[in-house]
Amino acid sequence: MGAAVVIVVTVGLSVALASGKAEGVARERIRDELLRVPALFAGWRDSQMSARRGQVRAVAEQPGTKALLAEGGGGPETAHDTSLEFARALGAGAVFLFDTQGRLIVRTDRPREEGGRDFSGVSWVSVPISRLTEASAFIAEVSRGPALSLVASAPVLQGAGTERVLNGVVSAAFRMDDERAHEVGRLAGGEAAFLVNAAARGAVPRLEVVGTTEGFRDPALGREVSAQSGTTEAQLARGDLPSPFALRARGRDYLATLVPILSGSGEPVGGMVVGRAKDEELAAMREIRRSLLGVGALILLLSVPLSFAFARALARPIQQLAIGAEEIGRGNLDVPLPRAGRGEAGALARAFEVMRRELREKAQLEQLVADLRGRGVDPTLRGVPPTGTDGLPSSGPVLGHLFAQRYEIRGLVGRGGMGAVYRALDRELDEEVALKVLEKSAGEGAPGEQQLRREIKLARTITHANVVRAYDFGEAEGVRFFTMEYVAGATLRELLDEEGRLALTPALQIAKQVCRGLGAVHRAGIVHGDLKPANIVVMTGGIAKLTDFGVARARRQAGTPFAGTPPYMSPEQVRGAEMDERSDLYSAGVLMFEMFTGRRPFDAGDPFEVMRLHLEEVPPNPRTLQPTLPELLADTIVACLAKAKADRPATAADLDRLLMRVRT
């Protein structure tokens, strides 16, 4: 069922994204085309004016027209009848006759009005009189019903050259009606309407439709254009109009642009609005959307039974893994697990198998430590050197003594050249800790104190399950000390001394945990510098921990000569050259060689001879000493023991991944 839901969601998102993208593309295409409308309209207007002037000029050049105006119109009735004939011949809405002073003789749309009215201040009359040439302009009529017309005028001349005489002016007005709107609409590829400005001069424009295509035949179109475009009279006059703007007409959504129409004197008498319907632009997308929905529905019908079958096939190994997880949690590591295949279930099965293998290795490691304790070896008394009569070192805290008014001394864990480690009870925290102090002779000089400070400072930067945690640092009773996590278990040195060599499975588990601890140390920018069996503690719970950072250095200090233990020192450490994380991996290689074969790759009675061998001799292949070792494990150990750092694994994590591939 989940697959079906995914399909539905996918198809739905696809349709939604495609629709959104298509609408954006459509809007952009409409916008680009609308931006070309003013230029298209200007070309149409100029061609109309030129054609109309030519028509009127032809009338003005007729002998009858010249004779009529030479006689001052020949009387009102004669002038009116002749003008009507001119109007019918021109297809004009009205014809005007003017005398040589620009006074109206007659106009066909108002035969008994405005006779003698002076039009000499109107451009389309004054230009023919003053320049003896044709003129044209747009005029608006609002007193007897709104109308917008293109008027063309021509002078009526008699004679030629210097004897040419002006008899008057003839003008014809051509309505911007539905037919003209269709012409513009076809040219612009959309709906078009002519609007007249019916508002008084200086008022907010009130646009009314006077000619339109069918899509814009809406009584409210003029008001809608005025409201949506936000046009002012000044904007109409300047041609500074918002474009495009949203427009709704007859229930459809458009993107539209408004082109101003000015009179001969530059006053805004109207406008031309052109719009493109968004749904027409999206028609192809709607077809694609319907197809997608149809295909999605078909896929959904097929996917429901298939998804159930697929779910059952997928759930079977998941259910087996769930049962296996419960059994592993109860300690049954032999529970059968499904075979690892492809996909998520296969990856999960492989992860479970790795986890089970790790738990088996850890269980064997726990058993190894338990066997050591069962043979009477006390892992908390790690080869303590000769002591005073009370069994403790000749100096330092005393058994049962409350040290630093906080730590109750319960026993000696071990002692080295720099000091001793005690098992103590921290009374403030009510838990056991390991208390490390410097011998007074070592603490009297700066090196011993500096080493102790360095060890606690570096150790406190690391928090990891495979690294002993450091707690506190201080001075009491004349000695320097610090406290750290108390680890109940045996050192790897003790295990090797007791067993000779370790079995493959527990040794491999120790090696992997050492790599993980080293990874944490290296991520803190630290090179351990003294990785050896004595500095690895194996707890009774099968956890291996790194300890003793006494010779560790921050990574940025690499290149400073290191102290260390000769059998486990890398070639660069022997030379006092620059060290990095791969130097610790060399020491890990020595440590693994010893765990799996029972001896070190280089050994001699003289420490300096051992260091020479690290520098010059090729290490033996561990399979020559232990033929049953897996080849991958032997090759990994040899790679760690490479003389050049570049030939070793790059990081502790890389080494851990190699060891994870070893099958026991």
PDB file of all heavy atoms in Angstrom, residues 212-237:
ATOM      1  N   THR A 212     -15.314  46.484 -29.471  1.00  0.00           N
ATOM      2  CA  THR A 212     -14.656  45.374 -28.791  1.00  0.00           C
ATOM      3  C   THR A 212     -14.778  44.079 -29.577  1.00  0.00           C
ATOM      4  O   THR A 212     -15.667  43.926 -30.423  1.00  0.00           O
ATOM      5  CB  THR A 212     -15.265  45.174 -27.390  1.00  0.00           C
ATOM      6  OG1 THR A 212     -14.611  44.078 -26.749  1.00  0.00           O
ATOM      7  CG2 THR A 212     -16.748  44.864 -27.471  1.00  0.00           C
ATOM      8  N   THR A 213     -13.893  43.148 -29.278  1.00  0.00           N
ATOM      9  CA  THR A 213     -14.026  41.776 -29.752  1.00  0.00           C
ATOM     10  C   THR A 213     -14.961  41.032 -28.803  1.00  0.00           C
ATOM     11  O   THR A 213     -15.322  41.539 -27.735  1.00  0.00           O
ATOM     12  CB  THR A 213     -12.652  41.086 -29.786  1.00  0.00           C
ATOM     13  OG1 THR A 213     -12.072  41.157 -28.481  1.00  0.00           O
ATOM     14  CG2 THR A 213     -11.719  41.750 -30.775  1.00  0.00           C
ATOM     15  N   GLU A 214     -15.339  39.807 -29.178  1.00  0.00           N
ATOM     16  CA  GLU A 214     -16.344  39.084 -28.401  1.00  0.00           C
ATOM     17  C   GLU A 214     -15.878  38.789 -26.977  1.00  0.00           C
ATOM     18  O   GLU A 214     -16.653  38.858 -26.033  1.00  0.00           O
ATOM     19  CB  GLU A 214     -16.706  37.771 -29.107  1.00  0.00           C
ATOM     20  CG  GLU A 214     -17.525  37.960 -30.370  1.00  0.00           C
ATOM     21  CD  GLU A 214     -18.811  38.728 -30.107  1.00  0.00           C
ATOM     22  OE1 GLU A 214     -19.476  38.437 -29.093  1.00  0.00           O
ATOM     23  OE2 GLU A 214     -19.127  39.626 -30.899  1.00  0.00           O
ATOM     24  N   GLY A 215     -14.619  38.432 -26.810  1.00  0.00           N
ATOM     25  CA  GLY A 215     -14.135  38.069 -25.484  1.00  0.00           C
ATOM     26  C   GLY A 215     -14.179  39.205 -24.489  1.00  0.00           C
ATOM     27  O   GLY A 215     -14.272  38.973 -23.276  1.00  0.00           O
ATOM     28  N   PHE A 216     -14.117  40.446 -24.981  1.00  0.00           N
ATOM     29  CA  PHE A 216     -14.143  41.614 -24.104  1.00  0.00           C
ATOM     30  C   PHE A 216     -15.518  42.288 -24.078  1.00  0.00           C
ATOM     31  O   PHE A 216     -15.646  43.398 -23.564  1.00  0.00           O
ATOM     32  CB  PHE A 216     -13.095  42.630 -24.552  1.00  0.00           C
ATOM     33  CG  PHE A 216     -11.714  42.376 -23.974  1.00  0.00           C
ATOM     34  CD1 PHE A 216     -10.645  43.203 -24.301  1.00  0.00           C
ATOM     35  CD2 PHE A 216     -11.496  41.323 -23.110  1.00  0.00           C
ATOM     36  CE1 PHE A 216      -9.384  42.980 -23.772  1.00  0.00           C
ATOM     37  CE2 PHE A 216     -10.235  41.088 -22.581  1.00  0.00           C
ATOM     38  CZ  PHE A 216      -9.177  41.918 -22.913  1.00  0.00           C
ATOM     39  N   ARG A 217     -16.539  41.635 -24.641  1.00  0.00           N
ATOM     40  CA  ARG A 217     -17.867  42.260 -24.673  1.00  0.00           C
ATOM     41  C   ARG A 217     -18.508  42.103 -23.296  1.00  0.00           C
ATOM     42  O   ARG A 217     -19.340  41.239 -23.051  1.00  0.00           O
ATOM     43  CB  ARG A 217     -18.730  41.631 -25.756  1.00  0.00           C
ATOM     44  CG  ARG A 217     -19.958  42.484 -26.123  1.00  0.00           C
ATOM     45  CD  ARG A 217     -20.675  41.911 -27.318  1.00  0.00           C
ATOM     46  NE  ARG A 217     -19.833  41.858 -28.492  1.00  0.00           N
ATOM     47  CZ  ARG A 217     -19.535  42.886 -29.276  1.00  0.00           C
ATOM     48  NH1 ARG A 217     -20.027  44.083 -28.972  1.00  0.00           N
ATOM     49  NH2 ARG A 217     -18.764  42.745 -30.323  1.00  0.00           N
ATOM     50  N   ASP A 218     -18.069  42.958 -22.406  1.00  0.00           N
ATOM     51  CA  ASP A 218     -18.509  42.910 -21.007  1.00  0.00           C
ATOM     52  C   ASP A 218     -18.833  44.330 -20.580  1.00  0.00           C
ATOM     53  O   ASP A 218     -17.982  45.223 -20.686  1.00  0.00           O
ATOM     54  CB  ASP A 218     -17.389  42.325 -20.133  1.00  0.00           C
ATOM     55  CG  ASP A 218     -17.843  42.038 -18.704  1.00  0.00           C
ATOM     56  OD1 ASP A 218     -18.696  42.781 -18.196  1.00  0.00           O
ATOM     57  OD2 ASP A 218     -17.322  41.085 -18.101  1.00  0.00           O
ATOM     58  N   PRO A 219     -20.062  44.587 -20.086  1.00  0.00           N
ATOM     59  CA  PRO A 219     -20.433  45.967 -19.710  1.00  0.00           C
ATOM     60  C   PRO A 219     -19.505  46.576 -18.663  1.00  0.00           C
ATOM     61  O   PRO A 219     -19.358  47.801 -18.604  1.00  0.00           O
ATOM     62  CB  PRO A 219     -21.858  45.806 -19.154  1.00  0.00           C
ATOM     63  CG  PRO A 219     -22.360  44.525 -19.729  1.00  0.00           C
ATOM     64  CD  PRO A 219     -21.179  43.643 -19.890  1.00  0.00           C
ATOM     65  N   ALA A 220     -18.901  45.729 -17.837  1.00  0.00           N
ATOM     66  CA  ALA A 220     -18.053  46.245 -16.755  1.00  0.00           C
ATOM     67  C   ALA A 220     -16.587  46.346 -17.159  1.00  0.00           C
ATOM     68  O   ALA A 220     -15.740  46.660 -16.320  1.00  0.00           O
ATOM     69  CB  ALA A 220     -18.180  45.343 -15.527  1.00  0.00           C
ATOM     70  N   LEU A 221     -16.282  46.088 -18.430  1.00  0.00           N
ATOM     71  CA  LEU A 221     -14.874  46.042 -18.827  1.00  0.00           C
ATOM     72  C   LEU A 221     -14.174  47.379 -18.597  1.00  0.00           C
ATOM     73  O   LEU A 221     -13.050  47.423 -18.096  1.00  0.00           O
ATOM     74  CB  LEU A 221     -14.759  45.638 -20.299  1.00  0.00           C
ATOM     75  CG  LEU A 221     -13.321  45.531 -20.814  1.00  0.00           C
ATOM     76  CD1 LEU A 221     -12.626  44.344 -20.181  1.00  0.00           C
ATOM     77  CD2 LEU A 221     -13.290  45.406 -22.339  1.00  0.00           C
ATOM     78  N   GLY A 222     -14.838  48.484 -18.958  1.00  0.00           N
ATOM     79  CA  GLY A 222     -14.203  49.788 -18.792  1.00  0.00           C
ATOM     80  C   GLY A 222     -13.851  50.064 -17.349  1.00  0.00           C
ATOM     81  O   GLY A 222     -12.742  50.511 -17.034  1.00  0.00           O
ATOM     82  N   ARG A 223     -14.805  49.815 -16.440  1.00  0.00           N
ATOM     83  CA  ARG A 223     -14.535  50.035 -15.017  1.00  0.00           C
ATOM     84  C   ARG A 223     -13.436  49.093 -14.521  1.00  0.00           C
ATOM     85  O   ARG A 223     -12.592  49.474 -13.704  1.00  0.00           O
ATOM     86  CB  ARG A 223     -15.822  49.822 -14.207  1.00  0.00           C
ATOM     87  CG  ARG A 223     -16.893  50.865 -14.479  1.00  0.00           C
ATOM     88  CD  ARG A 223     -18.016  50.776 -13.456  1.00  0.00           C
ATOM     89  NE  ARG A 223     -18.661  49.469 -13.469  1.00  0.00           N
ATOM     90  CZ  ARG A 223     -19.650  49.124 -14.280  1.00  0.00           C
ATOM     91  NH1 ARG A 223     -20.107  50.006 -15.174  1.00  0.00           N
ATOM     92  NH2 ARG A 223     -20.192  47.921 -14.217  1.00  0.00           N
ATOM     93  N   GLU A 224     -13.459  47.850 -15.012  1.00  0.00           N
ATOM     94  CA  GLU A 224     -12.447  46.876 -14.590  1.00  0.00           C
ATOM     95  C   GLU A 224     -11.053  47.317 -15.023  1.00  0.00           C
ATOM     96  O   GLU A 224     -10.094  47.237 -14.259  1.00  0.00           O
ATOM     97  CB  GLU A 224     -12.779  45.504 -15.196  1.00  0.00           C
ATOM     98  CG  GLU A 224     -11.904  44.375 -14.706  1.00  0.00           C
ATOM     99  CD  GLU A 224     -12.263  43.903 -13.314  1.00  0.00           C
ATOM    100  OE1 GLU A 224     -13.318  44.322 -12.778  1.00  0.00           O
ATOM    101  OE2 GLU A 224     -11.475  43.130 -12.750  1.00  0.00           O
ATOM    102  N   VAL A 225     -10.945  47.825 -16.253  1.00  0.00           N
ATOM    103  CA  VAL A 225      -9.642  48.294 -16.735  1.00  0.00           C
ATOM    104  C   VAL A 225      -9.180  49.488 -15.921  1.00  0.00           C
ATOM    105  O   VAL A 225      -8.012  49.581 -15.517  1.00  0.00           O
ATOM    106  CB  VAL A 225      -9.715  48.646 -18.237  1.00  0.00           C
ATOM    107  CG1 VAL A 225      -8.429  49.343 -18.683  1.00  0.00           C
ATOM    108  CG2 VAL A 225      -9.949  47.394 -19.057  1.00  0.00           C
ATOM    109  N   SER A 226     -10.099  50.419 -15.645  1.00  0.00           N
ATOM    110  CA  SER A 226      -9.731  51.597 -14.856  1.00  0.00           C
ATOM    111  C   SER A 226      -9.237  51.193 -13.476  1.00  0.00           C
ATOM    112  O   SER A 226      -8.235  51.717 -12.975  1.00  0.00           O
ATOM    113  CB  SER A 226     -10.935  52.536 -14.726  1.00  0.00           C
ATOM    114  OG  SER A 226     -11.339  53.008 -15.996  1.00  0.00           O
ATOM    115  N   ALA A 227      -9.931  50.226 -12.854  1.00  0.00           N
ATOM    116  CA  ALA A 227      -9.574  49.822 -11.493  1.00  0.00           C
ATOM    117  C   ALA A 227      -8.288  49.006 -11.465  1.00  0.00           C
ATOM    118  O   ALA A 227      -7.398  49.250 -10.642  1.00  0.00           O
ATOM    119  CB  ALA A 227     -10.718  49.023 -10.878  1.00  0.00           C
ATOM    120  N   GLN A 228      -8.176  48.015 -12.359  1.00  0.00           N
ATOM    121  CA  GLN A 228      -7.038  47.098 -12.307  1.00  0.00           C
ATOM    122  C   GLN A 228      -5.747  47.751 -12.775  1.00  0.00           C
ATOM    123  O   GLN A 228      -4.680  47.461 -12.263  1.00  0.00           O
ATOM    124  CB  GLN A 228      -7.322  45.850 -13.160  1.00  0.00           C
ATOM    125  CG  GLN A 228      -8.442  44.983 -12.636  1.00  0.00           C
ATOM    126  CD  GLN A 228      -8.147  44.462 -11.242  1.00  0.00           C
ATOM    127  OE1 GLN A 228      -7.015  44.156 -10.906  1.00  0.00           O
ATOM    128  NE2 GLN A 228      -9.176  44.397 -10.412  1.00  0.00           N
ATOM    129  N   SER A 229      -5.822  48.619 -13.763  1.00  0.00           N
ATOM    130  CA  SER A 229      -4.594  49.243 -14.264  1.00  0.00           C
ATOM    131  C   SER A 229      -4.139  50.387 -13.375  1.00  0.00           C
ATOM    132  O   SER A 229      -2.974  50.772 -13.394  1.00  0.00           O
ATOM    133  CB  SER A 229      -4.805  49.760 -15.690  1.00  0.00           C
ATOM    134  OG  SER A 229      -5.750  50.821 -15.698  1.00  0.00           O
ATOM    135  N   GLY A 230      -5.061  50.949 -12.575  1.00  0.00           N
ATOM    136  CA  GLY A 230      -4.699  52.068 -11.704  1.00  0.00           C
ATOM    137  C   GLY A 230      -4.282  53.299 -12.483  1.00  0.00           C
ATOM    138  O   GLY A 230      -3.469  54.097 -12.027  1.00  0.00           O
ATOM    139  N   THR A 231      -4.851  53.459 -13.678  1.00  0.00           N
ATOM    140  CA  THR A 231      -4.407  54.522 -14.571  1.00  0.00           C
ATOM    141  C   THR A 231      -4.927  55.886 -14.130  1.00  0.00           C
ATOM    142  O   THR A 231      -6.090  56.038 -13.773  1.00  0.00           O
ATOM    143  CB  THR A 231      -4.893  54.228 -16.005  1.00  0.00           C
ATOM    144  OG1 THR A 231      -4.384  52.967 -16.394  1.00  0.00           O
ATOM    145  CG2 THR A 231      -4.410  55.285 -16.968  1.00  0.00           C
ATOM    146  N   THR A 232      -4.059  56.886 -14.187  1.00  0.00           N
ATOM    147  CA  THR A 232      -4.449  58.276 -13.951  1.00  0.00           C
ATOM    148  C   THR A 232      -4.410  59.032 -15.277  1.00  0.00           C
ATOM    149  O   THR A 232      -3.858  58.551 -16.266  1.00  0.00           O
ATOM    150  CB  THR A 232      -3.503  58.955 -12.955  1.00  0.00           C
ATOM    151  OG1 THR A 232      -2.199  59.040 -13.547  1.00  0.00           O
ATOM    152  CG2 THR A 232      -3.398  58.152 -11.660  1.00  0.00           C
ATOM    153  N   GLU A 233      -4.999  60.234 -15.295  1.00  0.00           N
ATOM    154  CA  GLU A 233      -4.988  61.027 -16.526  1.00  0.00           C
ATOM    155  C   GLU A 233      -3.565  61.378 -16.931  1.00  0.00           C
ATOM    156  O   GLU A 233      -3.216  61.353 -18.116  1.00  0.00           O
ATOM    157  CB  GLU A 233      -5.815  62.303 -16.331  1.00  0.00           C
ATOM    158  CG  GLU A 233      -5.966  63.095 -17.631  1.00  0.00           C
ATOM    159  CD  GLU A 233      -6.810  64.336 -17.448  1.00  0.00           C
ATOM    160  OE1 GLU A 233      -6.627  65.028 -16.425  1.00  0.00           O
ATOM    161  OE2 GLU A 233      -7.638  64.603 -18.322  1.00  0.00           O
ATOM    162  N   ALA A 234      -2.730  61.676 -15.931  1.00  0.00           N
ATOM    163  CA  ALA A 234      -1.337  62.015 -16.242  1.00  0.00           C
ATOM    164  C   ALA A 234      -0.620  60.827 -16.866  1.00  0.00           C
ATOM    165  O   ALA A 234       0.175  60.974 -17.800  1.00  0.00           O
ATOM    166  CB  ALA A 234      -0.619  62.470 -14.978  1.00  0.00           C
ATOM    167  N   GLN A 235      -0.897  59.622 -16.348  1.00  0.00           N
ATOM    168  CA  GLN A 235      -0.269  58.432 -16.917  1.00  0.00           C
ATOM    169  C   GLN A 235      -0.745  58.202 -18.344  1.00  0.00           C
ATOM    170  O   GLN A 235       0.042  57.836 -19.218  1.00  0.00           O
ATOM    171  CB  GLN A 235      -0.590  57.206 -16.057  1.00  0.00           C
ATOM    172  CG  GLN A 235       0.181  57.143 -14.746  1.00  0.00           C
ATOM    173  CD  GLN A 235      -0.220  55.946 -13.918  1.00  0.00           C
ATOM    174  OE1 GLN A 235      -1.399  55.746 -13.652  1.00  0.00           O
ATOM    175  NE2 GLN A 235       0.755  55.160 -13.520  1.00  0.00           N
ATOM    176  N   LEU A 236      -2.035  58.415 -18.580  1.00  0.00           N
ATOM    177  CA  LEU A 236      -2.539  58.274 -19.942  1.00  0.00           C
ATOM    178  C   LEU A 236      -1.855  59.266 -20.878  1.00  0.00           C
ATOM    179  O   LEU A 236      -1.475  58.933 -21.999  1.00  0.00           O
ATOM    180  CB  LEU A 236      -4.052  58.496 -19.974  1.00  0.00           C
ATOM    181  CG  LEU A 236      -4.947  57.286 -19.712  1.00  0.00           C
ATOM    182  CD1 LEU A 236      -6.407  57.706 -19.691  1.00  0.00           C
ATOM    183  CD2 LEU A 236      -4.725  56.205 -20.754  1.00  0.00           C
ATOM    184  N   ALA A 237      -1.696  60.492 -20.402  1.00  0.00           N
ATOM    185  CA  ALA A 237      -1.077  61.519 -21.239  1.00  0.00           C
ATOM    186  C   ALA A 237       0.378  61.194 -21.536  1.00  0.00           C
ATOM    187  O   ALA A 237       0.869  61.401 -22.646  1.00  0.00           O
ATOM    188  CB  ALA A 237      -1.193  62.884 -20.561  1.00  0.00           C
TER     189      ALA A 237
END
